Amino acid sequence: MGVSLPVSALYIITGALLIYNFILYDLLRYCTWEDREPSPRTIGRIVTFQISADLFILATILHFSGGIENPFVFFFVFHMILASILRSTLQSYLQATLGVFLFGAVVVLESRGVIAHYELTNFAGHGLYKDATFIFGFLFVFTITLYLVVYMTTSISEQLRKQQDGYERANILLKEKDHVKNEYVLRLTHDIKGHLAAIESLMNIVDDEITGPLNPKQKDLVERAYRRTTKCMAFVTALLKLTRMKLTGQLEMSNFSLKNCVFDAIAAVQSRAKDKVIGLSCEIDPSVDEVHGESVLIEETLTNLLFNAVKYTPQGGKVRLTVRDHGESIVVQVIDTGIGVPEADFARIFEEFYRADNARAVERDGTGLGLSFAKQVVERHGGRIWVENNPDGGSTFSFILPKTTA
Ligand code: ADP
């Protein structure tokens, strides 16, 4: 625009601006190095320093580029907004005062001739910087603007902060209530399991006719009651395991052979697969060996997934388990040719007690707890579990397991 400026001075200031920004950036990186959490006080000090230094730089730039005649004076507003969001109300008003003081000093000292005035030739009417009425009016509006911006922004951010605190408190309360609920469920299921175990063994004695012969009707009734008790036992056991894991949170980690776990899990579902004439196969990358984790839980997860695959695959289908080495992690997949999972239920099937409609239709029995257990186990090992449908029918349940978990 042909406006003349003392370019070299402005470059020097820009250089200083760059240097201290790099220093502050490094300082912040140092403070947060390796997940270190700096205290709010330290962060607060750095922010205050940065905003103050920015105000100083802005005032200096304005001085070298027309002072009161430079419309970039409005940029002070940005710093006021930042201060009001990041710092306390008092700090924000102090920053506004600093802004007014710095800019006021530049304007007054220039008008008195104490420091030079750099004219914006070809831009603003000259001589304004010496006009007392103009200076007074300008500084008056400038001051009001800064304080009003601080007032409005701090009021809004204060309200937002209160809301945020409310959410955090509610979250803590929810977690506490969840803990109480889990403890309650744990005690209850533990108790019920004891009674069920007793009922099961007593019915076994009756069913084996140790206490005397049963007529066909009696035998049928006892067997039905026994089957119901076994199902109830399976449900209570699954609930007990899930709740116990949620409550303890801690895993007993060690290095173990994933291969052995896989073989044990396959052995556990083999007879069930045979009954349904389902082909069960397994492929393990030769490099797959030891992983860090809790072997019992991983084996149970594998068994759950295989058991589901067999359960939700019709007679004559196929279930394949693959274990692939991905360097830092292992990916396990259980692929079946079964009924698949409706896409809308992809996330929900990992929730407690949730069962998809198509699964309910083919299989009345189910706890809806196996996958939530698997999810808990995998996530506690630092991994992830998900489901996809296969293009030619059936579904694939996959989970990724880091080889070494912190
Ligand atoms: P359950 O099998 O006892 O119902 P899970 O928690 O193991 O409970 O599984 C939750 C739901 O996920 C099942 O009810 C079913 O809808 C779906 N599901 C799990 N595995 C499969 C699978 N291999 N094929 C189709 N649907 C599945």
Side-chain angles (χ1 to χ4, degrees), residues 103-306:
F103 182 62
V106 167
V107 169
V108 171
L109 294 178
E110 280 185 19
S111 72
R112 293 290 162 95
V114 179
I115 53 173
H117 172 70
Y118 296 90
E119 279 177 1
L120 289 178
T121 325
N122 299 334
F123 181 73
H126 309 309
L128 274 179
Y129 77 99
K130 277 192 280 192
D131 185 329
T133 320
F134 179 72
I135 292 174
F136 175 76
F138 198 104
L139 282 184
F140 178 69
V141 175
F142 177 76
T143 309
I144 290 181
T145 307
L146 291 203
Y147 283 111
L148 271 181
V149 165
V150 168
Y151 171 71
M152 287 178 189
T153 320
T154 46
S155 313
I156 294 170
S157 54
E158 187 59 28
Q159 279 192 12
L160 290 178
R161 227 172 272 163
K162 271 187 196 150
Q163 259 179 22
Q164 177 90 2
D165 287 349
Y167 291 141
E168 271 165 22
R169 271 199 304 276
N171 211 9
I172 292 171
L173 213 68
L174 274 178
K175 276 191 185 148
E176 278 170 4
K177 292 210 161 149
D178 199 47
H179 191 82
V180 173
K181 181 211 81 182
N182 282 334
E183 277 182 338
Y184 174 75
V185 172
L186 188 73
R187 219 171 293 162
L188 202 71
T189 40
H190 197 266
D191 249 32
I192 296 175
K193 197 176 168 206
H195 296 306
L196 281 176
I199 297 170
E200 235 180 359
S201 59
L202 292 176
M203 274 206 282
N204 230 342
I205 295 171
V206 178
D207 193 31
D208 290 346
E209 302 190 7
I210 294 167
T211 49
L214 299 172
N215 66 36
K217 183 76 194 159
Q218 285 168 333
K219 187 135 182 93
D220 177 50
L221 287 175
V222 170
E223 270 168 9
R224 274 161 59 187
Y226 184 74
R227 274 200 300 276
R228 286 289 178 103
T229 317
T230 312
K231 277 177 197 167
C232 198
M233 184 73 159
F235 175 77
V236 170
T237 308
L239 191 58
L240 192 65
K241 274 184 200 155
L242 183 67
T243 318
R244 200 173 276 153
M245 184 158 60
K246 278 182 173 178
L247 271 174
T248 56
Q250 290 290 319
L251 298 179
E252 279 172 28
M253 309 281 263
S254 62
N255 282 348
F256 68 94
S257 159
L258 186 62
K259 243 183 228 173
N260 288 349
C261 260
V262 170
F263 294 144
D264 288 346
I266 288 185
V269 293
Q270 206 128 38
S271 78
R272 185 88 201 237
K274 214 165 154 196
D275 289 348
K276 284 182 82 178
V277 205
I278 286 175
L280 194 58
S281 63
C282 149
E283 278 169 45
I284 307 178
D285 277 355
S287 55
V288 170
D289 194 20
E290 291 213 321
V291 292
H292 193 63
E294 192 164 335
S295 59
V296 183
L297 296 180
I298 297 290
E299 187 183 318
E300 202 143 343
T301 301
L302 286 167
T303 314
N304 274 350
L305 296 183
L306 284 171

Side-chain angles (χ1 to χ4, degrees), residues 8 83 86 142 166 203 250 320 375 394:
S8 48
L86 299 174
F142 177 76
M203 274 206 282
Q250 290 290 319
R320 192 156 60 95
K375 188 171 188 280

